[in-house]
Amino acid sequence: MLPINYSMRNLARRRLRTLLTILGIAVVVLLIAVLNAFNQGVVGTLVDGADARNVYLVAHGADQDIERSAIDRGYAEEAANDAPGVYEDANGRYASIEVFQVPPAVRFADSERFPGEYTAVMRGITPGAFLFHDSVFITEGREPRGDNEMIVGELAPARMGVSPEALAIGNKVYVEDEEWTVVGHFVAPGSQVEAELWVRLEDLMTAANLDEVTLVALRLDSAEQSARDRVDLFTSERRSLEMTMLAETDYFSQLLEVMAPIATMAQLLALLVLVGGVVGCANTLYANALSRTQEMAVLQTIGYRRREVIGGLTIESVMLALLAGMAGVALASAMGDQVLRMPMGAVRIAVGPEDIFV
């Protein structure tokens, strides 16, 4: 058997080839980890973010596109107060009347550092939103209380394409020439609302000159189908409300169907990268062995058997692969969390051990 230190010396002796091989394998590991993290970030958010107890009341015909739903404010309040089976505790009734807006012209008071106009996702809320969206936690500042105050999700700056300093507490934000003041920051791990700007419902409706809201979000007291059926029956009987019920699980399933082709492409691309990496590495190692035929002949001449020479080459290849794999893992781990911008929010992509060692 060839000594292990012989294989180690060979790696050090051919430094350029060794470094290029390590770099190639490391890039393959990095790409596979990133593509896996992308798939898990997009699909995981839609699969894990749905709660079977949550339902949305939206306008008739808007169940395929919630953002286009328009409900009379009075009818929305009636539904929020009268819908059966809504969970209640000492904090109140888990019903949230909300408005979505994507204003095309968001500007900042510090126009020198942040010139131009940006787009953002704004959500007008009532106090019930903090009950329904129980993943939301204010990390700094407070909730909006006064006129034209807003709180900012942690992913909102990345969604808008600006640095977090642009939305620091106390900063002024101009939405369609209406001035808003940032009074707090919040997180909502695993939820799309983390990329939004939250303001009081009344303020957003006044600023946007709206008479209608987007939806009524309800947290039911049971995840059973019978609880959802009761709400569905309620909307059917109250025809004057002109609403239909959409389970959150169904809504997220619709979004997942839209994103499924992209996730499939990411998986296919990861497979292609893996196959290409394997073929490329095998070709490199084969070329390396061919260039050392004289060396292997000398080893056999001085008494080493063929299988021992092959064993030495195998050990050398395994050591090279381990070094390259560790380099790829280090690169993937160093990336940290990344944010993928989407039309109605953003998704956090974090490269974790499950992506690296898939």
Side-chain angles (χ1 to χ4, degrees):
M1 182 69 179
L2 288 173
I4 293 180
N5 60 358
Y6 174 81
S7 298
M8 296 177 63
R9 285 199 304 270
N10 277 331
L11 293 179
R13 189 179 299 123
R14 300 169 177 82
R15 294 179 183 177
L16 180 59
R17 178 174 291 177
T18 298
L19 288 175
L20 290 176
T21 304
I22 288 175
L23 179 61
I25 298 175
V27 169
V28 170
V29 173
L30 173 63
L31 289 176
I32 291 175
V34 170
L35 289 170
N36 256 324
F38 167 80
N39 186 59
Q40 292 298 322
V42 174
V43 176
T45 298
L46 298 179
V47 172
D48 300 333
D51 190 325
R53 297 173 298 167
N54 294 345
V55 298
Y56 303 136
L57 303 185
V58 298
H60 283 310
D63 52 335
Q64 298 293 327
D65 192 356
I66 285 183
E67 290 75 23
R68 297 185 181 277
S69 172
I71 304 171
D72 180 86
R73 171 72 183 274
Y75 291 160
E77 291 180 348
E78 181 181 343
N81 293 327
D82 297 346
V86 177
Y87 181 73
E88 294 186 59
D89 60 15
N91 296 313
R93 184 176 172 88
Y94 284 55
S96 175
I97 302 173
E98 301 175 358
V99 169
F100 292 142
Q101 282 283 299
V102 184
V106 179
R107 296 179 292 105
F108 296 97
D110 190 353
S111 58
E112 293 185 0
R113 293 182 61 193
F114 309 103
E117 297 180 344
Y118 304 84
T119 59
V121 180
M122 296 185 70
R123 185 185 295 253
I125 60 166
T126 60
F130 292 98
L131 299 177
F132 179 83
H133 301 281
D134 53 8
S135 65
V136 171
F137 296 95
I138 295 179
T139 56
E140 187 179 10
R142 58 173 175 81
E143 70 277 7
R145 299 170 189 163
D147 294 340
N148 285 20
E149 293 182 343
M150 71 166 54
I151 57 175
V152 176
E154 187 176 35
L155 301 185
R159 166 65 180 77
M160 297 176 65
V162 298
S163 64
E165 289 77 13
L167 292 165
I169 291 179
N171 282 7
K172 304 296 183 181
V173 180
Y174 296 93
V175 181
E176 300 288 350
D177 297 324
E178 189 84 15
E179 183 181 271
W180 301 79
T181 304
V182 179
V183 297
H185 295 155
F186 69 88
V187 296
S191 173
Q192 289 185 338
V193 303
E194 198 173 21
E196 298 176 352
L197 310 177
W198 280 20
V199 301
R200 295 195 309 168
L201 181 68
E202 294 80 5
D203 293 339
L204 184 56
M205 293 184 69
T206 300
N209 195 26
L210 297 174
D211 296 322
E212 299 170 318
V213 300
T214 304
L215 58 81
V216 180
L218 305 175
R219 168 73 55 78
L220 305 182
D221 53 18
S222 171
E224 299 295 329
Q225 180 63 42
S226 58
R228 295 191 291 274
D229 289 341
R230 284 197 295 164
V231 178
D232 194 22
L233 180 61
F234 168 79
T235 57
S236 299
E237 291 179 339
R238 297 279 187 96
R239 295 185 179 181
S240 60
L241 299 179
E242 297 182 345
M243 297 182 193
T244 186
M245 188 209 74
L246 176 63
E248 188 176 71
T249 51
D250 294 337
Y251 174 60
F252 275 55
S253 295
Q254 293 173 8
L255 293 180
L256 186 58
E257 289 180 5
V258 174
M259 297 301 298
I262 299 176
T264 301
M265 288 182 63
Q267 291 177 324
L268 180 59
L269 186 57
L271 179 61
L272 292 175
V273 169
L274 177 61
V275 172
V278 170
V279 172
C281 291
N283 185 58
T284 300
L285 295 175
Y286 179 67
N288 182 37
L290 285 180
S291 67
R292 296 166 60 183
T293 53
Q294 292 182 353
E295 175 190 341
M296 290 184 282
V298 170
L299 289 174
Q300 292 183 66
T301 300
I302 62 177
Y304 287 102
R305 287 172 290 184
R306 178 174 295 184
R307 66 170 178 270
E308 293 175 328
V309 176
I310 294 174
L313 289 174
T314 302
I315 292 174
E316 189 175 324
S317 300
V318 170
M319 292 172 60
L320 188 61
L322 286 175
L323 288 172
M326 291 171 61
V329 169
L331 288 173
S333 300
M335 286 187 59
D337 291 357
Q338 302 296 319
V339 178
L340 174 67
R341 298 172 62 183
M342 301 176 68
M344 287 306 297
V347 175
R348 188 189 302 275
I349 299 177
V351 180
E354 68 277 6
D355 303 307
I356 297 171
F357 300 106
V358 64

